[in-house]
Structure formats: structure tokens, C-alpha cells
Amino acid sequence: MEADIRWLDCPDVFRVNQCEAHSDHYFYENRTDYENRKQNLKQSLNGMWKFHYSRNAKERPADFYKEDFDNRLFDEIMIPGHIEMAGYDKIHYINTMYPWEGHYYRRPAGTLDGHHKTEGMFSEAEYNPVGSYVRTFDLSEPLLGKRIILSFEGAEQAIYVWVNGAFVGYAEDSFTVSEFDITPYVKEKDNLLAVEVHKRSTAAFLEDQDFFRFFGLFRDVNIYGLPKLHVQDLWIQPLYDSKSRKATFVADLKIAQDKEMQGSMHILLLDGEKVILNQTKAIEDSMHLEIPLTEPVQLWDSRHPYLYKVEIELLDSRQNLIEIVPYEIGFREIKIEDGIIKLNGERFIINGVNRHEWCADSGRCIREEHEIMDIETMKKNNINAVRTCHYPDHITWYYRCDRAGIYMMAETNLESHGSFQKMGQVEPSWNIPGSVALWEAAVLDRARSNFEMFKNHPSVLFWSLGNESYAGDGIAAMHRFFKEKDPGRLVHYEGVFHNRKYEDVISDVESRMYAHPDDIKEYLQNQPKKPFILCEYMHDMGNSLGGMKDYMDLLDEFPNYQGGFIWDFIDQAIWVTDEITGKQVLRYGGDFDDRPSDYEFSGNGILFADRQEKPAMQKVSYYYGKYK
């Protein structure tokens, strides 16, 4: 197969030759590596790459991936990172509108009865920047002779991939992992990896989040070597019934194995050093275990985030250890009972924040230290929940929330705000995904990737279908997917508020943004169908956060009011050197000659962009502390 630039214009082409989405588990070849947390089967490709920037696809060096192409005049760029933050293209912040409005007329394919041109919309655009990345690599010794997987943890917005001159595949969905099996193309030494990143494709219609519009390889790039026996996918369900106080351990595994390989799977459930469960089974391609536990379990919640450890060993027919997979799990139950969300049988209260990933030095390319600081800030200020607005976060964040006891609303990478709301008015004439069949597969794929990657994390209590995308058959299909795959969690979506036709088939909760306390009372006093959550409230912009008491008082008056998520956690602003004073200053939307822009709307966090707490945090800490 050859790469086709026209895929950029096709909403029904969003993954080509990609591996199936799967769980985010770590794996090791032996116990020594596991005990030292040394991932020898993972090889990082982060660092300096050769790079060329083009204003559009027509001007790009189209043959740059070929082994005989002369790239000596290419620049260098650091991976991970945004292309704009490296000095190319322009920095642009916009909230509700698509960034091209006022510059180009574009409408999504399949809308407005097709009375508009969609061919060439992005592939032939005069402005649609392209980053051409190249690097060479040798396989590290532990990867030799193994099946090799190339992994991009985050790439905005559409990528084409080649290895040693051969086309490997294509991917969209900027914030979920895209993986490719490169075993047929890779060699031991002197491999040439080429990645072409396009700033916009039809995915841009689905990624209209309230943020700076960057592009590039902004998260880690790795290759993995898979053992001959390998846990390809793992779903552990630590089930708990608050009525009977009984727990059941359920696990489903998919095992990839060479045809000549046979062996056994050994699984342990550990409470510290104490063995709770010990099972051995002959390996099959798909394996299912469902084991009631005889002893009481300690439950996971924000006050006591108790984790058990699962260890899975794959052994060959001679009992040699081929792979070991660890995972930390938590027993807990989330459900709606008598119209109230309950966690482990008790009423559930969200003291939450919305959190964009952000660093004032590097944009959405964040580091371990930022995640650690954010967890510490949340725990110190009685914040117990986070909504991953409006896309999946870096994988490590979910593990940190498990261990810290931070409840998660895990949001799918979807926002099509500009397609249904214009100048503050609801006008969905060309809304997508809506009920446009052409877009349904793409949003279902985004839901599937979100679920498969993060399904094992006890901190994930809600799957969120996305943000501000109105409502239609496409989002209803996403809801059905999550309920069928994972009935043990709740599903959230706010946009039903704008389209009550879908009230009974989308979202387990009544979710609104910035509803007045009197509006919440009116809903809850009139035979509410669902418990009430504010997925965004308090909008902390400027000298804000007044009136928080009125919302917190509702928790005492209505048990089916369950709290909400403050908008938002951290300002989106960028350090720049002031042209006059020469000092480092924080710049917001509109400060980069970016039009259209929503200007200082990018600054509405309870933290400044440098992670200093704003005065408003005192109020957050006080009121949230009353409902810990």
C-alpha cells in the first residue's frame, strides 16, 4: 500500500495499518528487570530528529522518506515537542470557533446536503503546515529477533509513517496511542524512520478544544520488542458488591504466541506480600478467569486508595519465564442507586477540577515533575477528582491518580464546538458527528481507544464521551459502546442538555455547565431522571470564584446533587521574552497576533501557568475540605 495525501480530506479514513488499541500494561522479560523496573524491551526514540517545515502539502519534500533522499539541509528538532514552540509556524489560541473561520470557508463532509466542496480541503490548502521528521536508529540488543512495535503516544494531528523507505501506516486522533507493527521493515542497524505530520485533517473538526492549536510529535515515541509469549491485552475487573460485601476477581487476557510456542499462564493476586489468589492455566489465545474471593477486601477510594497487585507470568513448556506483567488494581463499586451516585455503597461527592495538560515552557508537552506537582496541589487543597478535558492524558497520569486516590472522568478526544455553536447561539445545521453516518466510525474509534487503553485503572469512575459536540446518533453509539463493554462504570456527556431528544440514550447523569444554583434546584425538585453533576462551573477567570458557597450548599440540600469540576485547574499561558523590558513574561491568547482568538480566555485556572496557586485556591481548599 502507498500513502495517499487525500486521506487528510476523508473523515472515514483515520487509521491505516494501525495495531488494535489495547491495555496500557508494562511487561518485562525476567524478574530482575521487573524488580528493578527496567524496561529493557522498550527503546526510546525521543531526542533530536532531523526536521523540515513546510507551509502546506504541495511545498513539502514529498520524497523525504526515501533512503537515498539527501536531508543534510534539514534542521533539527527535539522530540517530544510542539513544532510551534520550536519556532516554526505561528502560535494560535482559540476556544469555540474553528481556527480557520474568517480565513477559509470549510464545512464537514456529509453536512449541508453536500452542497460544498470537501475534496482537497486540507490536502490542497494554501495553509496547512507539514512537519517532515527523520531519524535513524539501531535496535537495542534485547529487541533483536523479536516482533517490533513502533508507538507514538501523542501526535497532532495526522501522521504518515515510513521505515526504511516502506510505507507503514497512517493515524489520526492526536491524544491516544498510535502503534504500528514494523517487524517486516526493520533491521538490526541503520534503520531510517520518517514521519510526516500534518497540522490539520478532517480530525480538526473533531478536535476543536479550548486550547492553543499546536502540531507535531508532542509525546513519547518508542519501539517495543514483544516476547514470543506476550500479554497482548489485559482487562482486570476487581468487582465488589456493597450489599453482600463480597468481591470477585475477573480477568480477561489476549495472548499473542508464536505457533511453535506452548506454555502456561501463572497469575497471582497479592495484598502486599500476602497471596490472595494463585492460579495456573495452559495458555490459550483468549483466557477468562472469574474467581470469588473468600476473604474481605480493602476498598479503594480517595481517602484510602488501597491497591492490590496482580502479577502475570507466561512460561514456556519447559517452565522458563518468558514474560511478566504487573498491574495495580483497586476494588470499588460505582453505581446509581435510588437516583444517587454511590461509591462503595455511600453517596459520592465530586470536589473536582478540569485539567488541561500544560507547561508554560513547553505547552501540552509536559514532564513527570508537572504531574507530581499537580497531584500534590490537588491533595493539599482537598481536590478529589479530575476531568481530563477534553482528551486522554499522558498514560502516567492515570497511574498517579490510582495511587493518590484522585477520581477520574476519562474523556474521549472529541470536541466539535464550532460545528454547533456560533457566536454563543446553538445552531447545529452542520454539526458533527451529529447523526451523519460518515463520521460515526471515527468517533467510535476514539471511544474504543480511550476504553481499551485505560480500562484497568480504578481511578476511572466515568467514561466521558467528549465535550461540547451537541448530540446525535454518533454520540448515542459511543454511549452504547461504553455501556456494553463496561457496565461497571458510569457514562457522562453534557451536550444532551442542548438536545433533549437523546436524553434517555446518552449519559447516566444530568450534566451541565455553569448552571445557576436556582436552575439546579429546579431540576432536582421536579422528579429528576438522573443525578446532577456540573462538569464545568465556577469559571475561574480574573478575580473570580465568587458564589462558590451557593453551589456547595446544594450538597446539603439535595443528595442527588453530586458536585462538579471547576473550570479549570491551570492557566494556559506561555513564557516569552518581553520585547521592551527583556524580562520573562506570561503571554495569553491574542498576544501572538493570532486571529481569530478568544484572548485571555486561556487564563481561567486556579493555578497560574507557572503553577503558583492563585488566591482563589484558598476558597477551593476551604469548601472542598468541608466535603472530603
Side-chain angles (χ1 to χ4, degrees):
M1 177 184 288
E2 296 297 321
D4 191 336
I5 195 66
R6 294 172 296 180
W7 293 338
L8 298 174
D9 308 319
C10 301
D12 53 347
V13 180
F14 45 85
R15 57 161 57 225
V16 176
N17 295 342
Q18 275 185 253
C19 301
E20 291 184 3
H22 59 80
S23 53
D24 64 348
H25 59 277
Y26 299 100
F27 54 95
Y28 304 87
E29 205 166 19
N30 56 66
R31 187 158 286 277
T32 300
D33 286 350
Y34 164 51
E35 290 173 353
N36 294 319
R37 299 301 185 267
K38 189 174 182 181
Q39 290 183 270
N40 275 331
L41 297 177
K42 170 185 173 181
Q43 181 179 338
S44 174
L45 297 183
N46 293 346
M48 297 302 295
W49 291 45
K50 285 185 170 295
F51 177 77
H52 184 275
Y53 170 83
S54 307
R55 179 176 168 80
N56 57 49
K58 290 180 286 188
E59 296 176 8
R60 82 197 193 282
D63 294 335
F64 84 110
Y65 64 88
K66 294 183 177 179
E67 293 178 289
D68 59 356
F69 183 86
D70 185 357
N71 59 35
R72 286 177 296 178
L73 295 180
F74 276 26
D75 299 333
E76 289 190 329
I77 195 169
M78 178 61 73
I79 301 300
H82 301 296
I83 289 171
E84 293 86 349
M85 298 295 282
Y88 303 91
D89 195 27
K90 62 183 295 182
I91 293 172
H92 188 182
Y93 166 75
I94 184 90
N95 174 19
T96 63
M97 295 171 63
Y98 287 109
W100 53 76
E101 296 292 357
H103 298 280
Y104 305 97
Y105 176 84
R106 290 178 177 147
R107 296 296 178 261
T111 64
L112 298 178
D113 297 323
H115 296 315
H116 53 281
K117 182 179 183 294
T118 57
E119 299 83 1
M121 183 185 297
F122 297 103
S123 63
E124 299 175 13
E126 289 301 314
Y127 174 79
N128 186 19
V130 183
S132 304
Y133 294 85
V134 181
R135 70 156 293 161
T136 58
F137 66 92
D138 300 334
L139 289 180
S140 63
E141 185 176 354
L143 274 63
L144 296 178
K146 294 182 171 61
R147 182 181 166 205
I148 304 299
I149 303 298
L150 171 63
S151 172
F152 299 90
E153 292 188 4
E156 291 184 277
Q157 179 172 74
I159 63 172
Y160 295 81
V161 183
W162 295 264
V163 172
N164 295 325
F167 176 64
V168 171
Y170 173 79
E172 295 177 354
D173 192 353
S174 300
F175 296 90
T176 52
V177 175
S178 299
E179 292 185 336
F180 303 92
D181 187 340
I182 60 171
T183 310
Y185 315 107
V186 77
K187 52 191 180 182
E188 288 190 11
K189 293 185 178 298
D190 299 321
N191 291 286
L192 178 69
L193 171 59
V195 184
E196 188 174 88
V197 183
H198 294 257
K199 185 162 187 170
R200 292 174 189 153
S201 68
T202 51
F205 284 110
L206 302 176
E207 297 181 9
D208 191 35
Q209 288 96 333
D210 174 9
F211 58 20
F212 282 89
R213 308 307 168 100
F214 295 129
F215 82 119
L217 304 178
F218 72 100
R219 289 184 184 161
D220 297 335
V221 180
N222 299 300
I223 50 174
Y224 294 90
L226 306 187
K228 293 184 182 298
L229 290 174
H230 172 61
V231 177
Q232 185 170 309
D233 184 67
L234 168 68
W235 189 15
I236 302 170
Q237 298 180 71
L239 303 181
Y240 176 73
D241 182 349
S242 58
K243 299 291 188 193
S244 65
R245 298 186 179 180
K246 302 274 188 183
T248 304
F249 178 85
V250 178
D252 289 280
L253 296 87
K254 292 181 182 177
I255 309 295
Q257 56 183 324
D258 284 8
K259 291 181 180 179
E260 72 275 9
M261 291 287 288
Q262 292 184 335
S264 58
M265 183 272 294
H266 183 212
I267 188 166
L268 290 172
L269 175 62
L270 301 166
D271 181 359
E273 299 298 318
K274 182 181 179 182
V275 177
I276 305 298
L277 181 153
N278 187 339
Q279 291 268 320
T280 300
K281 284 194 168 190
I283 287 177
E284 300 176 20
D285 291 346
S286 296
M287 305 183 70
H288 176 77
L289 293 90
E290 188 166 339
I291 304 167
L293 301 183
T294 56
E295 297 184 19
V297 294
Q298 297 199 55
L299 300 181
W300 183 96
D301 64 19
S302 65
R303 295 180 292 268
H304 185 61
Y306 198 86
L307 295 172
Y308 292 78
K309 185 184 294 181
V310 175
E311 290 183 3
I312 299 167
E313 294 181 338
L314 300 185
L315 304 101
D316 67 13
S317 57
R318 298 183 178 181
Q319 295 299 294
N320 296 310
L321 180 62
I322 304 299
E323 180 179 77
I324 182 167
V325 172
Y327 216 102
E328 292 178 323
I329 64 169
F331 286 88
R332 49 108 184 100
E333 176 194 62
I334 182 80
K335 67 178 181 180
I336 297 174
E337 186 177 58
D338 301 323
I340 299 169
I341 302 173
K342 293 184 178 180
L343 178 66
N344 302 332
E346 297 181 359
R347 181 196 177 198
F348 178 59
I349 293 177
I350 297 169
N351 295 330
V353 292
N354 288 274
R355 175 183 174 269
H356 270 298
E357 293 185 308
W358 191 256
C359 169
D361 292 311
S362 56
R364 286 188 293 279
C365 177
I366 64 171
R367 301 184 293 276
E368 180 182 33
E369 65 200 69
H370 302 128
E371 293 186 347
I372 293 171
M373 290 171 67
D374 290 352
I375 291 287
E376 290 174 348
T377 298
M378 290 178 184
K379 297 299 289 185
K380 181 178 70 171
N381 290 290
N382 303 311
I383 295 165
N384 71 3
V386 63
R387 177 181 176 221
T388 68
C389 60
H390 300 293
Y391 43 80
D393 286 349
H394 196 282
I395 294 167
T396 50
W397 179 249
Y398 298 76
Y399 286 94
R400 295 190 200 285
C401 289
D402 291 343
R403 292 164 186 159
I406 301 293
Y407 305 129
M408 298 190 74
M409 180 174 281
E411 196 141 276
T412 302
N413 182 24
L414 172 62
E415 180 169 339
S416 59
H417 202 158
S419 76
F420 89 95
Q421 195 169 45
K422 288 89 175 177
M423 306 303 290
Q425 301 301 310
V426 174
E427 196 287 287
S429 60
W430 46 275
N431 169 243
I432 49 120
S435 298
V436 184
L438 189 61
W439 292 85
E440 186 171 307
V443 296
L444 272 174
D445 184 70
R446 288 165 181 252
R448 184 178 298 108
S449 295
N450 191 25
F451 164 75
E452 296 292 358
M453 180 67 71
F454 302 119
K455 60 196 172 203
N456 291 302
H457 290 280
S459 55
V460 175
L461 302 185
F462 297 84
W463 297 114
S464 181
L465 306 181
N467 185 63
E468 294 177 320
S469 298
Y470 199 58
D473 293 349
I475 291 176
M478 295 171 70
H479 176 91
R480 285 196 304 275
F481 168 82
F482 279 117
K483 297 307 291 184
E484 290 169 3
K485 294 291 288 188
D486 191 7
R489 287 186 174 100
L490 302 183
V491 176
H492 163 271
Y493 186 65
E494 174 268 342
V496 182
F497 173 69
H498 298 291
N499 189 351
R500 288 295 185 185
K501 173 184 174 182
Y502 290 89
E503 183 175 15
D504 295 332
V505 294
I506 297 176
S507 188
D508 292 320
V509 296
E510 174 74 8
S511 177
R512 297 190 197 172
M513 296 182 179
Y514 312 110
H516 191 280
D518 288 344
D519 294 331
I520 300 172
K521 287 182 181 181
E522 183 181 358
Y523 176 82
L524 294 174
Q525 288 172 341
N526 288 279
Q527 298 180 314
K529 289 185 175 182
K530 305 173 184 179
F532 195 106
I533 285 174
L534 285 164
C535 64
E536 294 181 18
Y537 80 124
M538 297 310 303
H539 202 274
D540 190 42
M541 185 173 178
N543 187 21
S544 196
L545 220 73
M548 189 172 180
K549 181 180 185 298
D550 292 340
Y551 288 101
M552 302 307 290
D553 287 348
L554 292 172
L555 290 168
D556 297 324
E557 189 173 354
F558 299 99
N560 51 353
Y561 174 66
Q562 318 268 180
F565 299 86
I566 292 170
W567 186 267
D568 59 357
F569 183 64
I570 187 169
D571 281 2
Q572 297 177 75
I574 298 171
W575 283 118
V576 301
T577 302
D578 184 76
E579 300 88 342
I580 306 300
T581 65
K583 294 181 179 180
Q584 287 288 102
V585 295
L586 288 167
R587 291 274 170 85
Y588 293 76
D591 290 336
F592 303 94
D593 294 326
D594 41 328
R595 302 291 187 276
S597 183
D598 286 276
Y599 304 98
E600 72 277 12
F601 217 74
S602 68
N604 37 41
I606 50 178
L607 296 181
F608 291 107
D610 61 0
R611 282 184 163 74
Q612 290 188 62
E613 294 181 10
K614 292 183 179 179
M617 185 67 85
Q618 297 175 44
K619 183 172 285 189
V620 174
S621 184
Y622 172 76
Y623 281 112
Y624 278 181
K626 294 179 68 175
Y627 298 91
K628 291 175 67 174

